[in-house]
């Protein structure tokens, strides 16, 4: 585990500054580092499950730092953008992708799941890129943040509704509508 951590850090130390110097951004450097040392290319890290927790912890820390910089007054100012632009983006993107998936022969349930999944963006990557370029306070940065915030909020009800799309219960699990109702009650 220690060897893999050292390999991860070395790859990041080499590729992140290189990508930053090439104006590609630190997030691209991290992605390239993971791609190169992972099981697909150099195979320096072959047991992906062993480093999964480290990567998840890194994303949690990044989102925590972003949350520290967020002020409730700023959120209140963005409420129209969050629910207006955010809901429009998620709905439009989901619809377009789901229609394409359905046209490829998938069931409407599978098409909807694919559409919703691909309508969501990575808040960590987008905010990191905007922060690096100093664009978080620009108009497009605020609008991007509002859309990302709506996506993050939309994930909760989406996960609660997904069991309804299943055709039948698996094993001894309750039917989809019961799981969705239970999730909605817990969230409520």
């Amino acid at each position: 585990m220690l060897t893999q951590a050292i390999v991860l850090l070395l790859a990041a130390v080499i590729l992140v500054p290189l990508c930053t110097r090439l104006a590609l951004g630190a997030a691209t450097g991290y992605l390239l580092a993971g791609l190169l040392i992972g099981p697909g290319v150099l195979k320096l890290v072959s047991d992906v499950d062993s480093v999964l927790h480290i990567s998840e912890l890194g994303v949690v820390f990044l989102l925590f730092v972003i949350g520290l910089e967020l002020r409730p007054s700023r959120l209140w100012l963005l409420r129209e953008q969050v629910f207006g632009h955010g809901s429009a983006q998620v709905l439009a993107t989901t619809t377009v992708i789901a229609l394409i998936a359905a046209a490829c022969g998938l069931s409407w349930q599978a098409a909807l799941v694919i559409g919703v999944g691909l309508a969501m963006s990575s808040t960590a990557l987008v905010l990191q890129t905007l922060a690096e370029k100093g664009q978080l306070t620009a108009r497009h940065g605020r609008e991007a943040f509002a859309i990302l915030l709506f996506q993050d909020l939309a994930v909760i009800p989406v996960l609660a509704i997904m069991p309804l799309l299943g055709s039948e219960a698996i094993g001894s699990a309750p039917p989809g509508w019961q799981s969705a109702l239970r999730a909605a009650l817990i969230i409520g």
Side-chain angles (χ1 to χ4, degrees), residues 82-98 112 115-121 146-155 158:
V82 169
F83 294 104
H85 295 149
S87 60
Q89 180 274 325
V90 169
L91 184 62
T93 307
T94 298
T95 302
V96 169
I97 294 173
L112 184 61
V116 169
L118 293 177
M120 303 299 170
S121 306
I147 291 170
L148 290 166
L149 183 59
F150 181 82
Q151 290 175 356
D152 291 343
L153 295 172
V155 166
V158 163

Side-chain angles (χ1 to χ4, degrees), residues 21-54:
R21 187 175 190 101
L22 296 173
L24 296 174
T28 305
Y30 288 119
L31 290 173
L32 282 175
L35 179 70
L36 287 175
I37 65 173
V41 180
L42 296 176
K43 299 179 178 144
L44 297 174
V45 176
S46 57
D47 185 14
V48 178
D49 291 333
S50 67
V51 295
L52 181 65
H53 300 298
I54 295 172

